[in-house]
């Protein structure tokens, strides 16, 4: 509603289509509205309404006389109307503000489409308006129609709706499972698995062995449940922290801990599932072979019969799996129903009165005396608590059965937690129920002889069987075949109908084998899709609407068949169990690690977990691995460690936002904060450099020499300044950040890349000098290349160059200027190389196209060839006209400036045996000496010895040499020789001075040769020129620079590197051009030179 009392101020316009947003537009042109409104006109207020249907319309409010402004607008030359027949625009005379919420504005309301990944299977990704589009002023007379962004904001649709609908149509036949069929059923079936190598029973053979211990058996069950429950909680937390794709345990671990852990565990987990297929199928085959023995129907012999039956079974299971997930799920449900009937049949049998035959085998229904007798533990020879636990625990695995097909679940975030925890609860209750029932009904030892009854007057000695009329005392002296300790078919005996237990055995084994046969290819396919192991990329391909990994099915089938033919899995079973446990341990550790990293992205919807409980679960899983089999645990860790090292070495190009990354950030932040509490000390000084390389790849030699004395010891920041319009500079800067940092990493250069956008170069460098670094890790040295083209460069560039040196000194930052004969910038060479690489790629593409069309005949093939060539843009190559490179297509690598290319790599190579000559002319705190000393510690420079040159008096050369040697020995800096130069301050020879004068001649004012008025005028017009007064005032310094070059030519012409004290130009006294002339004459015609000037604070000390 409107809050203005004036009846003629607002006019309601009802749009043709109702809208849930109310929009009020105000014309705030006070000049135009002055005639219609006096000063007493009350203020106008608008509000956005979310009222009932009567109010769900677009309301437009404007002042009288301006209605025609809203009636029509031009769009692409045509008259168009919005829903409310208006459009807001900005101009110098009229400004209209949209006071709206999500309508007819570039700003977009929150929608899920903006947060999807590109190529998301759940729907298309939409691009919200960029900050630039919202922030920048709209151009005049530009109308923003209800574009895709507007439609998204208004809920009218999103870009790519048609594609999304098509995608949904394509996925119409995709099978997705809910939490019951997809998770609960599978976990129940895999929990009730069998222990191979013994006569199997439906899920409870390991349990029956434990039941003879009863009290400790219950403890073992609860301990196993604790491990699985903690792992289930951790799995649930990770699975609800974002969308879960296919891959199960591999996906959860890799996205949490990174590709190194995920890639290592994913491979062995997939292999474990493949071998588990064989283990379960062999268990099924052993049961069938036992039935054949009873009916005397053996085909060959027990071992070969197991191989035959197992091979046939795994082929049938493969057919069910390949038929599709829907068929596999139906088979799992049928098998679960059979298994549940078998278990129910067992519980019913415990209350059916026992007959004499069953009593002779130890079954007496529920008896308190049997319960009391079985309550205490009784280990057989060679057994103990941990050995029994190792026998039982594999029966508690299978908690990842549902998660392994996470890609086929309708809602993994809901299905995995619900199905996992409910399955653990149900199976725990079932295990405990069976333990209590059997422990209360069946004695531990029985003979099976119906005639072993109690003789009158016989002493029972507290035996439960004796009290119930049976004498099984001879089982103490000789082995018996029946009872809990001896008969693993006891469940068939106790049950109401024995064949149902056999059916349950078949159900448990086949369902477990089928679940593993599906899990292994799914996990393996997800691993291969991530391309962590490039050799396995072949198995990433999926088929059909469900993206079935048919190649993975075949591979799993072959692995399972190989182990079935072995037919003896007792040796491999402990390793497989340890593979599963290693996965559980890493899932628990993933949950702990993600919580400990405190990343804002760790927000699991399933909140029933604790980081320390997860850590305890990880440790517990590792301990259980050694309890089950220590050598299998060692093998597991060795394989996992090997794979971890392999993946780490290969460095897969993925970024999943793992908790390892988050913890690295937290650790770095904590260390940086802790470092701020540490006071600076001269012993811990290290050069921390800002290097003005521009793009790091454009001046590699400058970066290499700096990296040589900062690697592993100091901070190195490669800096670039973008000068120009801010919008363009920021766009270019942001687009290249990742690429340039990646180049540093690829070339193993331990440095950071930083860039700023500024109005001028000097302002950008000034910002970098002040703001770069973090805490104590702040730059203390500026490294720049020598401006070789200073005589041809614009005056502003020279002023900026010398200005940044002054700025560095103002900020008490040392300066290093590096000069090499060929210069540093190789950007033109890089452009040529990129163009040649592009042409080479196009040539190869053309050859491939021609090869593909070789078999085609007639004009159709020729037309197709030219059509493809046209797409590749190689039928006609247009020269790149960028002002710096012309007709690059005609250039050859041999035409490059080879000297420049070689110079750019000179510091990458191992330096030949020689010297680093240090001309320590002025004491700057020791930086001039420290940098060359650090260089000699590097492998590439270790064959270069230090030669020290210092100034001194001619009549005290020996004394000063001894004094300098004493100082260097106190600094513990090794040197080859010390030279005292006593003739630095003499005048240079005439030839050298003439060269200097010719160098500065174009920049001299020569005001002394002109009258006073003309001289003053020239000073005002060209203040940058070198005056005669200035040149005379610093003539001695100019002499020194020229003389030093003569001495350098004499003593250091053959040095590998010269490190020289940088002369300082006093601000306001030395002109920029004169200072550049000093640097030019000082370093002219010399080997690589480092001009160094510290901040005159000690960086060396001889105190301990």
């Amino acid at each position: 509603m409107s809050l203005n009392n004036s009846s003629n101020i607002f006019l309601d316009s009802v749009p043709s289509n109702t809208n849930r947003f109310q929009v009020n537009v105000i014309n705030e042109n006070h000049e135009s509205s002055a005639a219609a409104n006096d000063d007493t006109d009350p203020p106008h207020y608008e509000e956005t309404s979310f009222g009932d249907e009567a109010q769900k319309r677009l309301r437009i409010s404007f002042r009288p006389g301006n209605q025609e402004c809203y009636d029509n607008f031009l769009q692409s030359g045509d008259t168009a109307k919005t829903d409310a027949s208006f459009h807001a625009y900005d101009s110098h005379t009229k400004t209209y503000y949209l006071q709206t919420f999500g309508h007819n504005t570039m700003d977009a309301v929150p929608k899920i489409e903006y947060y999807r990944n590109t190529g998301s299977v759940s729907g298309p990704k939409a691009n919200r308006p960029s900050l630039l589009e919202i922030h920048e002023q709209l151009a005049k007379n530009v109308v923003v129609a209800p574009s895709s962004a507007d439609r998204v904001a208004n809920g009218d649709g999103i870009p790519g709706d048609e594609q999304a609908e098509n995608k949904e149509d394509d996925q119409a036949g995709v099978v997705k499972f809910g939490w019951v069929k997809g998770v609960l059923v599978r976990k129940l079936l895999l929990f009730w698995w069998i222990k191979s190598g013994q006569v199997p029973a439906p899920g409870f053979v390991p349990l029956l062995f434990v039941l003879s211990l009863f009290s400790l058996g219950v403890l073992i069950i609860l301990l196993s449940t604790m491990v699985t429950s903690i792992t289930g909680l951790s799995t649930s937390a990770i699975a609800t922290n974002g969308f879960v794709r296919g891959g199960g345990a591999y996906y959860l671990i890799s996205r949490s801990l990174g590709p190194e852990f995920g890639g290592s565990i994913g491979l062995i987990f997939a292999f474990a599932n493949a071998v588990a297929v064989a283990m379960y199928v062999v268990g099924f085959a052993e049961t069938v072979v036992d039935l054949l023995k009873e009916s005397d129907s053996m085909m060959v012999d027990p071992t070969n019969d197991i191989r035959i039956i197992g091979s046939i079974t795994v082929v049938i299971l493969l057919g069910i799996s390949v038929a599709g997930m829907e068929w596999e799920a139906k088979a799992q449900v049928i098998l679960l129903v059979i298994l549940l009937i078998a278990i129910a049949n067992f519980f019913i049998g415990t209350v059916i009165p026992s007959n004499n035959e069953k009593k002779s085998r130890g079954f007496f229904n529920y008896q308190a005396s049997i319960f009391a007798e079985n309550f205490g533990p009784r280990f057989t020879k060679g057994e103990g608590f941990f050995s029994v636990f190792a026998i039982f625990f594999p029966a508690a695995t299978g908690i990842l059965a549902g998660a392994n097909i996470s890609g086929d679940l309708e809602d993994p975030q809901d299905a995995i937690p619900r199905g996992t925890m409910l399955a653990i609860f149900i199976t725990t209750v079932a295990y405990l129920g069976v333990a209590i029932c059997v422990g209360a009904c069946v004695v531990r030892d029985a003979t099976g002889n119906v005639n072993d009854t109690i003789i009158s007057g016989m002493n029972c000695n507290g035996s439960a069987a004796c009290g119930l009329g049976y004498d099984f005392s001879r089982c103490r002296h000789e082995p018996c075949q029946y009872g809990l300790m001896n008969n693993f078919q006891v469940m068939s005996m106790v049950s109401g109908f024995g064949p149902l237990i056999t059916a349950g055995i078949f159900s448990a084994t086949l369902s477990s084998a089928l679940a593993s046969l599906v899990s292994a290819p799914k996990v393996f396919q997800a691993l291969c899709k991530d391309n962590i192991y490039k050799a396995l990329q072949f198995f990433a391909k999926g088929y059909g609407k469900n993206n079935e990994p048919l190649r993975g099915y075949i591979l799993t089938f072959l692995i399972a068949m190989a182990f079935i033919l072995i037919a003896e899995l007792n040796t491999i079973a402990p390793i497989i169990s340890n593979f599963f446990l290693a996965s559980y341990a890493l899932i628990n550790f993933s949950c702990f690690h993600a919580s400990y990293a405190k990343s804002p992205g760790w927000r699991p919807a399933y909140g029933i977990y604790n980081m320390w409980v997860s850590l305890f679960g990880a440790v517990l899983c590792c301990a259980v691995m050694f309890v089950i089999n220590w050598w299998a645990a060692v093998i597991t860790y060795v394989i996992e460690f090997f794979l971890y090292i392999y993946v780490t070495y290969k460095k897969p190009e993925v970024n999943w936002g793992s908790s390892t990354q988050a913890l690295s950030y937290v650790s770095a932040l904590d260390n940086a904060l802790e470092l701020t509490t540490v006071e600076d000390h001269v012993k811990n000084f290290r050069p921390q450099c800002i290097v003005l390389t521009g793009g790091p790849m454009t001046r590699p030699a400058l970066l290499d020499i700096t990296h040589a004395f900062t690697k592993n010891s100091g901070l190195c920041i490669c800096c670039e300044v973008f000068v120009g319009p801010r919008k363009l500079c920021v766009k270019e800067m942001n687009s290249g950040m990742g690429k340039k940092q990646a180049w540093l990493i690829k070339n193993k250069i331990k440095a950071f890349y930083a860039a700023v956008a500024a109005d001028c170069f000097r302002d950008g460098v000034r910002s970098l000098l002040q703001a770069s670094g973090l805490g104590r890790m702040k730059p203390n040295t500026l490294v720049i290349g020598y401006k070789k083209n200073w005589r041809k460069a614009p005056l502003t560039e020279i002023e900026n160059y010398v200005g940044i040196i002054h700025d560095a000194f103002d900020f008490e930052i040392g300066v290093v200027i590096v000069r090499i004969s060929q210069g540093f910038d190789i950007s033109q060479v890089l452009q040529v190389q990129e163009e040649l690489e592009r042409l080479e790629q196009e040539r190869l593409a053309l050859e491939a196209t021609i090869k593909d069309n070789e078999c085609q005949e007639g004009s159709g093939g020729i037309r197709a060839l030219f059509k493809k060539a046209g797409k590749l843009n190689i039928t006609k190559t247009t020269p790149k006209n960028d002002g710096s490179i012309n007709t690059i297509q005609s250039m050859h690598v041999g035409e490059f400036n080879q000297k420049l290319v070689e110079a750019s790599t000179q510091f990458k190579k191992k330096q030949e045996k020689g010297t680093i000559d240090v001309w320590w002319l002025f004491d700057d705190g020791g930086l001039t000496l420290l940098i060359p000393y650090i260089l000699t510690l590097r492998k590439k420079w270790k064959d270069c010895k230090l030669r020290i040159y210092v100034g001194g008096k001619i009549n005290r050369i020996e004394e000063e040499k001894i004094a300098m040697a004493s100082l260097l020995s106190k600094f513990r800096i090794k040197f080859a020789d010390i030279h005292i130069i006593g003739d630095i301050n003499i005048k240079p020879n005439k030839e050298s001075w003439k060269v200097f004068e010719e160098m500065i001649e174009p920049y001299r004012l020569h005001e002394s040769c002109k009258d006073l008025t003309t001289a003053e005028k020239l000073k005002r017009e060209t203040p940058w020129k070198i005056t005669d007064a200035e040149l005379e005032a610093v003539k001695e310094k100019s002499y020194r620079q020229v003389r030093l070059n003569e001495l350098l030519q004499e003593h250091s012409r053959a040095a590998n590197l010269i490190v020289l004290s940088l002369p300082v130009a006093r601000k306001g006294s030395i002109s920029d051009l004169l200072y550049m002339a000093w640097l030019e004459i000082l370093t002219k015609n010399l080997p690589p030179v480092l001009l160094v000037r510290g901040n005159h604070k000690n960086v060396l000390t001889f105190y301990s």
Side-chain angles (χ1 to χ4, degrees):
M1 71 182 208
S2 173
L3 298 181
N4 195 308
N5 296 326
S6 236
S7 60
N8 64 344
I9 294 297
F10 297 95
L11 178 66
D12 294 343
S13 175
V14 180
S16 58
N17 298 322
T18 60
N19 194 296
R20 66 187 290 260
F21 300 117
Q22 175 174 316
V23 182
N24 302 309
V25 180
I26 311 168
N27 180 359
E28 292 187 351
N29 183 5
H30 299 291
E31 293 81 358
S32 63
S33 61
N37 299 279
D38 56 24
D39 295 337
T40 60
D41 190 15
H44 301 81
Y45 301 91
E46 276 69 38
E47 64 180 78
T48 300
S49 172
F50 295 88
D52 55 19
E53 290 298 326
Q55 293 177 328
K56 288 182 180 178
R57 57 196 176 90
L58 179 66
R59 171 165 295 185
I60 308 175
S61 303
F62 50 85
R63 299 184 186 277
N66 293 319
Q67 180 175 355
E68 63 276 8
C69 295
Y70 302 94
D71 289 340
N72 300 289
F73 63 88
L74 291 177
Q75 179 177 352
S76 302
D78 298 325
T79 301
K81 289 180 178 288
T82 61
D83 290 343
S85 298
F86 83 99
H87 185 79
Y89 60 92
D90 295 333
S91 71
H92 292 291
T93 58
K94 297 181 180 182
T95 304
Y96 298 95
Y97 292 96
L98 286 173
Q99 296 205 354
T100 71
F101 187 78
H103 180 79
N104 220 14
T105 173
M106 286 298 293
D107 240 339
V109 297
K111 289 183 75 72
I112 189 174
E113 287 79 7
Y114 295 136
Y115 298 91
R116 286 197 177 109
N117 288 335
T118 303
S120 173
V121 296
S122 58
K125 172 181 172 60
N127 294 319
R128 69 176 62 83
S130 69
L131 185 60
L132 190 66
E133 293 171 333
I134 296 172
H135 184 236
E136 290 295 321
Q137 185 177 7
L138 288 174
K140 294 181 183 179
N141 302 325
V142 174
V143 176
V144 182
S147 62
S148 60
D150 299 320
R151 292 190 294 107
V152 171
N154 296 313
D156 299 331
I158 60 173
D161 276 344
E162 295 179 1
Q163 293 90 327
E165 291 172 2
N166 294 338
K167 199 167 192 176
E168 289 176 3
D169 293 340
D170 293 340
Q171 293 186 350
V174 174
V175 179
K176 296 289 184 180
F177 303 115
W179 70 275
V180 175
K181 189 182 291 187
V183 182
L184 181 64
V185 170
R186 297 172 188 278
K187 291 182 184 293
L188 289 176
L189 288 169
L190 261 178
F191 272 129
W192 290 325
W193 74 295
I194 67 164
K195 176 71 172 159
S196 64
Q198 300 170 349
V199 180
F204 297 109
V205 166
L207 178 64
L208 296 177
F209 190 81
V210 172
L211 294 182
S212 59
L213 311 177
F214 197 61
S215 59
L216 288 181
V218 172
L219 181 62
I220 289 172
I221 293 172
L222 294 177
L223 181 60
S224 301
T225 301
M226 181 171 66
V227 175
T228 56
S229 298
I230 293 173
T231 306
L233 293 174
S234 299
T235 304
S236 301
I238 299 173
T240 57
N241 190 54
F243 184 77
V244 178
R245 298 184 185 273
Y250 160 72
Y251 186 88
L252 298 178
I253 294 172
S254 63
R255 268 51 176 185
S256 295
L257 292 178
E260 295 82 8
F261 283 102
S264 59
I265 203 65
L267 198 59
I268 65 175
F269 186 73
F271 178 75
N273 274 282
V275 178
V277 175
M279 191 163 60
Y280 299 137
V281 168
V282 167
F284 167 78
E286 286 177 347
T287 306
V288 175
V289 168
D290 287 338
L291 294 177
L292 293 177
K293 283 182 181 178
E294 292 177 2
S295 61
D296 197 21
S297 303
M298 297 291 293
M299 292 178 285
V300 185
D301 56 68
T303 301
N304 285 313
D305 283 3
I306 289 174
R307 290 169 178 161
I308 295 171
I309 296 170
S311 300
I312 296 172
T313 303
V314 78
V315 170
I316 295 172
L317 293 178
L318 177 65
I320 295 174
S321 301
V322 172
M325 289 295 296
E326 190 172 10
W327 285 94
E328 186 267 348
K330 290 177 180 178
Q332 292 282 27
V333 171
I334 294 171
L335 293 172
L336 179 62
V337 170
I338 296 173
L339 182 56
L340 291 175
I341 292 173
I343 295 174
N345 174 52
F346 163 76
F347 284 110
I348 292 171
T350 60
V351 297
I352 297 176
S354 178
N355 54 34
N356 290 334
E357 182 180 1
K358 288 185 177 182
K359 288 180 179 180
S360 67
R361 296 181 178 183
F363 174 55
F364 295 93
N365 296 110
Y366 292 100
Q367 302 292 335
S369 59
I370 295 177
F371 184 87
E373 184 179 74
N374 287 339
F375 189 80
R378 193 187 86 187
F379 294 107
T380 56
K381 185 177 181 181
E383 298 293 346
F385 176 82
F386 291 111
S387 62
V388 176
F389 177 80
I391 292 173
F392 171 77
F393 184 79
T397 58
I399 54 178
L400 297 179
N404 287 339
I405 62 163
S406 52
D408 297 297
L409 298 177
E410 188 173 350
D411 184 5
Q413 292 177 292
D414 176 70
I416 291 175
R418 186 183 297 186
T420 299
M421 300 315 297
L422 185 59
I424 292 173
F425 174 76
I426 292 174
T427 51
T428 300
V429 171
Y431 277 143
L432 291 174
V434 172
I436 293 172
C437 292
V438 174
C441 295
V442 183
V443 297
R444 286 173 173 163
D445 296 302
T447 60
N449 189 344
V450 295
N451 297 320
D452 286 344
T453 54
I454 295 297
I455 302 174
S456 178
M458 182 176 178
N459 185 9
C460 290
N461 293 324
S463 171
C466 181
L468 295 172
Y470 280 82
D471 179 18
F472 299 143
S473 58
R474 64 187 176 95
C475 291
R476 301 174 186 173
H477 312 291
E478 59 184 62
C480 294
Q481 296 182 354
Y482 298 97
L484 282 179
M485 297 289 291
N486 311 298
N487 182 18
F488 292 112
Q489 296 285 2
V490 69
M491 289 190 70
S492 296
M493 178 189 68
V494 172
S495 66
F497 184 62
L500 277 179
I501 298 299
T502 302
I505 295 173
F506 293 162
S507 173
T509 52
L510 293 177
S511 63
S512 299
L514 191 57
S516 296
L517 185 57
V518 170
S519 296
K522 295 283 186 181
V523 174
F524 192 59
Q525 182 188 36
L527 176 67
C528 296
K529 276 185 176 180
D530 288 335
N531 204 21
I532 292 178
Y533 302 100
K534 296 186 183 299
L536 303 179
Q537 184 67 21
F538 174 79
F539 296 98
K541 183 175 176 57
Y543 297 86
K545 292 185 178 296
N546 266 67
N547 196 34
E548 294 291 345
L550 297 185
R551 296 174 179 178
Y553 282 132
I554 299 301
L555 179 63
T556 303
F557 167 77
L558 294 176
I559 294 173
M561 183 66 76
F563 282 95
I564 287 171
L565 295 178
I566 296 174
E568 193 64 45
L569 295 178
N570 282 345
T571 303
I572 197 69
I575 299 178
I576 301 307
S577 297
N578 274 279
F579 281 0
F580 284 120
L581 278 168
S583 304
Y584 304 159
L586 277 181
I587 286 177
N588 283 309
F589 184 73
S590 298
C591 184
F592 162 77
H593 201 265
S595 302
Y596 184 74
K598 300 175 184 176
S599 171
W602 173 249
R603 303 183 302 274
Y606 189 84
I608 309 174
Y609 75 96
N610 180 274
M611 58 183 289
W612 300 111
V613 172
S614 296
L615 179 61
F616 173 73
V619 174
L620 197 59
C621 287
C622 293
V624 170
M625 290 174 65
F626 283 94
V627 167
I628 291 178
N629 192 299
W630 69 266
W631 58 263
V634 171
I635 291 176
T636 302
Y637 283 122
V638 169
I639 295 175
E640 186 176 343
F641 179 74
F642 172 77
L643 293 174
Y644 177 88
I645 295 298
Y646 174 81
V647 177
T648 303
Y649 175 76
K650 289 295 183 180
K651 288 185 172 59
E653 295 180 358
V654 295
N655 182 12
W656 295 324
S658 65
S659 59
T660 305
Q661 295 172 329
L663 192 61
S664 297
Y665 175 84
V666 172
S667 300
L669 183 61
D670 289 342
N671 290 335
L673 290 171
E674 185 178 353
L675 192 61
T676 60
T677 64
V678 179
E679 294 294 331
D680 288 332
H681 194 282
V682 64
K683 288 196 297 184
N684 293 322
F685 176 88
R686 59 199 66 216
Q688 303 194 108
C689 300
I690 280 183
V691 195
L692 298 185
T693 58
M697 64 284 292
T698 59
R699 292 174 177 83
L702 182 61
L703 178 57
D704 289 337
I705 189 62
T706 308
H707 189 241
F709 60 81
T710 60
K711 182 181 179 182
N712 297 328
S713 63
L715 179 69
C716 182
I717 306 176
C718 301
C719 295
E720 186 171 9
V721 179
F722 290 86
V723 179
R726 181 179 299 177
K727 186 192 303 184
L728 297 177
C729 288
V730 170
K731 183 177 181 180
E732 182 182 359
M733 179 177 68
N734 291 339
S735 64
M737 281 277 191
K739 177 183 177 182
K740 290 167 184 175
Q741 185 65 55
W743 185 89
L744 292 171
I745 296 171
K746 180 180 178 181
N747 288 272
K748 299 180 181 180
I749 297 175
K750 296 184 178 180
F752 299 96
Y753 172 77
V756 293
D759 295 330
C760 74
F761 180 72
R762 184 176 179 182
D763 287 344
V765 176
R766 190 184 289 123
S767 299
L768 289 167
L769 291 174
Q770 295 179 87
S772 296
L774 184 67
R776 296 289 183 188
M777 293 184 294
K778 291 185 70 67
N780 53 33
T781 307
L782 171 67
V783 181
I784 57 177
Y786 177 70
K787 191 169 184 60
K788 187 181 178 184
N789 66 337
W790 66 274
R791 281 182 277 190
K792 298 179 182 179
L795 182 64
T796 54
E797 290 188 11
I798 300 173
E799 290 176 348
N800 284 332
Y801 184 82
V802 178
I804 63 174
I805 299 174
H806 289 307
D807 292 337
F809 291 149
D810 287 341
F811 298 137
E812 296 187 340
I813 292 176
V815 175
V816 177
I817 300 177
V818 187
R819 179 173 186 178
I820 58 176
S821 58
Q822 297 298 321
F824 293 104
D825 192 356
I826 63 168
S827 54
Q828 184 172 343
V829 174
L830 293 176
Q831 288 178 348
V832 173
Q833 288 177 341
E834 289 176 2
E835 188 67 19
L836 288 173
E837 288 174 2
R838 184 185 68 81
L839 292 174
E840 178 66 14
Q841 290 174 358
E842 290 182 351
R843 185 187 65 80
L844 294 174
L846 178 59
E847 289 179 356
T849 305
I850 294 172
K851 186 176 181 180
D852 291 341
N853 288 273
E854 282 180 350
C855 59
Q856 296 185 12
E857 296 179 358
S859 60
I862 299 296
R863 284 197 298 269
L865 171 62
F866 279 100
K867 184 177 180 181
K868 290 186 178 181
K871 289 181 180 179
L872 291 171
N873 194 25
I874 53 181
T875 56
K876 181 179 180 181
T877 304
T878 303
K880 186 176 180 181
N881 184 17
D882 59 359
S884 60
I885 303 176
N886 294 315
T887 62
I888 290 178
Q889 291 80 354
S890 64
M891 297 185 66
H892 189 268
V893 177
E895 298 177 20
F896 290 166
N897 187 337
Q898 288 296 330
K899 291 184 178 180
L900 180 59
V901 174
E902 292 173 3
S904 68
T905 61
Q906 62 179 308
F907 297 127
K908 292 182 182 294
K909 305 172 184 175
K910 182 175 175 59
Q911 301 299 307
E912 296 179 357
K913 190 173 183 180
T915 63
I916 298 176
D917 287 359
V918 182
W919 290 70
W920 194 15
L921 304 177
F922 306 104
D923 194 337
D924 58 352
L927 187 64
T928 307
L929 186 61
L930 180 62
I931 287 177
Y933 167 73
I934 295 175
L935 286 176
T936 60
L937 302 179
R938 307 305 185 194
K939 184 183 296 185
K940 294 176 182 177
W941 293 87
K942 67 177 183 179
D943 292 334
C944 296
K945 307 301 181 183
L946 292 184
R947 291 195 303 185
I948 312 298
Y949 292 84
V950 294
K953 296 179 181 180
I954 296 179
N955 57 352
R956 288 182 52 84
I957 289 180
E958 288 302 323
E959 291 86 343
E960 293 188 5
K961 186 173 183 179
I962 293 172
M964 179 53 62
S966 174
L967 179 61
L968 293 176
S969 64
K970 287 183 178 181
F971 285 149
R972 301 171 303 282
I973 291 178
K974 296 179 181 180
F975 57 91
D977 200 359
I978 296 177
H979 297 270
I980 307 298
I981 308 298
D983 53 352
I984 292 178
N985 290 326
I986 66 173
K987 284 186 179 182
N989 62 51
K990 292 181 180 180
E991 291 78 9
S992 299
W993 182 250
K994 185 178 180 180
V995 171
F996 178 74
E997 286 185 325
E998 290 175 352
M999 185 187 301
I1000 64 174
E1001 180 60 32
Y1003 314 109
R1004 292 187 62 179
L1005 190 63
H1006 289 295
E1007 79 280 8
S1008 60
C1009 302
K1010 299 176 178 65
D1011 60 83
L1012 185 60
T1013 304
T1014 305
E1016 290 298 329
K1017 182 181 178 182
L1018 288 173
K1019 286 182 182 180
R1020 288 193 302 270
E1021 292 176 351
T1022 56
W1024 45 271
K1025 283 198 171 183
I1026 305 170
T1027 64
D1028 293 339
E1030 176 192 1
L1031 195 58
E1032 186 64 30
V1034 295
K1035 195 169 188 178
E1036 293 297 326
K1037 290 187 177 180
S1038 299
Y1039 282 157
R1040 184 190 305 151
Q1041 313 313 323
V1042 179
R1043 175 58 182 160
L1044 277 173
N1045 182 261
E1046 292 177 349
L1047 293 170
L1048 288 164
Q1049 297 284 350
E1050 179 184 348
H1051 295 280
S1052 300
R1053 193 76 176 86
N1056 296 60
L1057 179 69
I1058 298 173
V1059 182
L1060 176 65
S1061 292
L1062 172 68
V1064 177
R1066 192 176 297 276
K1067 287 196 301 183
S1069 300
I1070 308 297
S1071 62
D1072 297 338
L1073 288 168
L1074 179 58
Y1075 185 63
M1076 291 304 300
W1078 283 0
L1079 300 184
E1080 175 70 26
I1081 197 65
L1082 182 62
T1083 58
K1084 188 178 179 64
N1085 297 327
L1086 290 172
V1089 178
L1090 269 63
L1091 293 166
V1092 181
R1093 175 68 68 157
N1095 61 2
H1096 287 241
K1097 294 181 180 178
N1098 287 349
V1099 301
L1100 295 172
T1101 182
F1102 43 78
Y1103 294 107
S1104 59

